[in-house]
């Protein structure tokens, strides 16, 4: 207590000075309209600036969540647009029934949001790691997409992380694709090099298409539903045997900066896989 009194006695003139400054400021701004308006404007401007900084900081730290939501939303919208396009094209049928079937089809799958934590694009055997695993519902052979289109297929699954074989894998990635609105299908293959370009092979020779048309997943496999965007046709070549086309496709997904992805959980995959395995077992038994 004595130390406090000594401190106050030693520096009392500073406390008196501060008190007088505050009192003079209050009298100046409270009883002079001009000075009061200047103070009010300055204070409001400062408060507004602080609020803006706070808002910017808050928005920055929530960008990750926003990107995740946008990625999921874009994926769902792309699928819905595909279904609506098919409904519109088939005008001779009952549109109410078609819409119901389209919505039933969309309800067959759900997506598991994930983030890419490791990725390569310039190797011949590129791999990708995401931060969701078995405990999040991810399983081997599930498709992975982002808001812009196809990404790859789940290859290995841990409790909390999974390894994905992206479309940019020269030896292990073959995704069934078709030309949008045409029905002709083939398989997506990447040869290495440019990570923005891949090729759709085995497109039938009688197929009719135009450069600039879109390529999307065909839905013929149990990995991806139909209609997930793959890319746009840039060039067409004859295959080596001359019996089919090879299409150069500009990929819609930018693999060099992909961050937020969706793992596609199709509820009908298990049933289709079981039926396919049963068919294979039946054929093998008959052959014996």
């Amino acid at each position: 207590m004595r130390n406090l009194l000594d401190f106050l006695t030693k520096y009392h003139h500073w406390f008196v000075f501060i008190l007088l400054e505050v009192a003079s400021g209050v009298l100046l701004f409270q009883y002079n309209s001009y000075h009061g308006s200047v103070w009010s404007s300055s204070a409001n401007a400062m408060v507004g600036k602080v609020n803006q900084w706070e808002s910017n900081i808050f928005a920055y730290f929530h960008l990750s969540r926003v990107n995740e939501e946008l990625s999921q939303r874009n994926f769902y919208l792309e699928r819905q647009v595909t279904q609506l396009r098919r409904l519109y094209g088939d005008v001779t049928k009952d549109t109410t029934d078609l819409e119901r079937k389209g919505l039933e089809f969309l309800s067959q799958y759900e997506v598991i949001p994930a983030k890419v934590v490791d990725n390569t694009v310039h190797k011949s055997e590129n791999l990708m790691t995401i931060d969701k695993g078995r405990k999040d519902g991810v399983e081997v052979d599930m498709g992975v997409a982002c808001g812009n289109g196809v990404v790859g297929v789940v290859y290995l699954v841990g409790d909390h992380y999974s390894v994905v074989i992206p479309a940019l894998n020269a030896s292990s990635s073959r995704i069934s694709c078709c030309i949008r609105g045409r029905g002709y299908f083939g398989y997506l293959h990447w040869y290495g090099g440019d990570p923005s370009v891949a090729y759709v092979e085995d497109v039938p020779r009688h197929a009719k298409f135009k450069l600039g048309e879109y390529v999307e997943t065909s839905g013929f496999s149990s990995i991806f539903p139909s209609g997930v965007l793959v890319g746009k046709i840039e060039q067409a070549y004859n295959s080596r045997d001359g019996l089919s086309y090879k299409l150069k496709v500009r990929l819609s997904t930018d693999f060099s900066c992909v961050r937020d992805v969706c793992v596609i959980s199709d509820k009908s995959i298990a049933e289709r896989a079981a039926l396919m395995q049963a068919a294979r077992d039946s054929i093998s038994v008959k052959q014996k």
Side-chain angles (χ1 to χ4, degrees), residues 28-91:
L28 176 65
F29 294 113
Q30 184 172 0
Y31 296 101
N32 292 274
S33 59
Y34 173 75
H35 295 87
S37 63
V38 171
W39 165 258
S40 177
S41 300
S42 300
N44 289 336
M46 181 58 68
V47 170
K49 200 67 176 178
V50 171
N51 289 336
Q52 182 181 357
W53 290 342
E54 180 184 2
S55 177
N56 290 339
I57 293 172
F58 181 83
Y60 176 80
F61 285 105
H62 285 75
L63 281 177
S64 178
R65 178 60 181 171
V66 171
N67 287 336
E68 181 180 301
E69 293 175 351
L70 285 175
S71 180
Q72 295 181 60
R73 186 60 179 165
N74 286 343
F75 178 78
Y76 276 121
L77 288 174
E78 180 68 29
R79 296 291 305 115
Q80 290 172 351
V81 166
T82 299
Q83 296 302 318
L84 291 173
R85 186 184 297 109
R86 291 174 180 171
L87 295 177
Y88 180 78
D90 202 351
V91 294

Side-chain angles (χ1 to χ4, degrees), residues 107-277:
S107 67
Q108 290 178 359
Y109 69 93
E110 59 185 18
V111 298
I112 303 169
K115 293 188 179 299
V116 177
V117 296
D118 187 41
N119 183 31
T120 59
V121 296
H122 298 298
K123 299 179 180 179
S124 60
E125 310 297 328
N126 292 301
L127 293 174
M128 178 183 293
T129 304
I130 59 176
D131 66 348
K132 293 297 172 65
R134 186 178 298 107
K135 291 188 176 181
D136 303 293
V138 178
E139 298 177 6
V140 174
D141 288 338
M142 283 185 172
V144 181
C146 67
N148 294 325
V150 164
V151 173
V153 180
V154 176
Y155 177 58
L156 293 174
V157 178
D159 286 341
H160 303 288
Y161 294 91
S162 301
V163 176
V164 176
I165 294 180
L168 303 185
N169 189 298
S171 64
S172 303
S173 178
R174 283 178 65 84
I175 299 173
S176 179
C177 304
C178 68
I179 302 172
R180 177 179 290 177
R182 301 285 189 178
Y184 304 111
F185 69 94
Y187 294 92
L188 186 70
H189 186 223
W190 183 67
Y191 290 98
D194 189 348
S196 65
V197 172
Y199 296 85
V200 176
E201 300 177 326
D202 299 330
V203 177
R205 187 68 180 177
H206 61 274
K208 296 180 180 179
F209 56 87
K210 297 178 181 179
L211 300 183
E213 290 188 322
Y214 288 97
V215 174
E216 60 190 16
T217 55
S218 64
F220 292 160
S221 71
S222 60
I223 297 175
F224 287 100
S226 62
V228 180
L229 185 62
V230 174
K232 184 183 294 187
I233 301 173
E234 284 196 342
Q235 286 182 292
Y237 307 93
N238 290 322
S239 62
R240 291 184 178 180
D241 57 15
L243 300 178
S244 61
Y245 287 117
K246 181 172 72 173
L247 308 180
K248 180 181 178 181
V249 175
R250 178 69 57 178
L251 298 174
S252 58
T253 300
D254 186 350
F255 285 88
S256 63
C257 64
V258 62
R259 293 292 180 271
D260 294 282
V261 298
C262 302
V263 182
I264 303 170
S265 177
D266 191 337
K267 302 172 186 177
S268 66
I269 286 179
E271 180 181 354
R272 284 185 284 171
L275 286 173
M276 185 61 69
Q277 187 59 47

Side-chain angles (χ1 to χ4, degrees), residues 8 11-23:
L8 293 175
Y11 296 104
H12 70 278
H13 54 281
W14 288 107
F15 292 106
V16 173
F17 171 75
I18 294 173
L19 180 62
L20 291 175
E21 285 290 323
V22 172

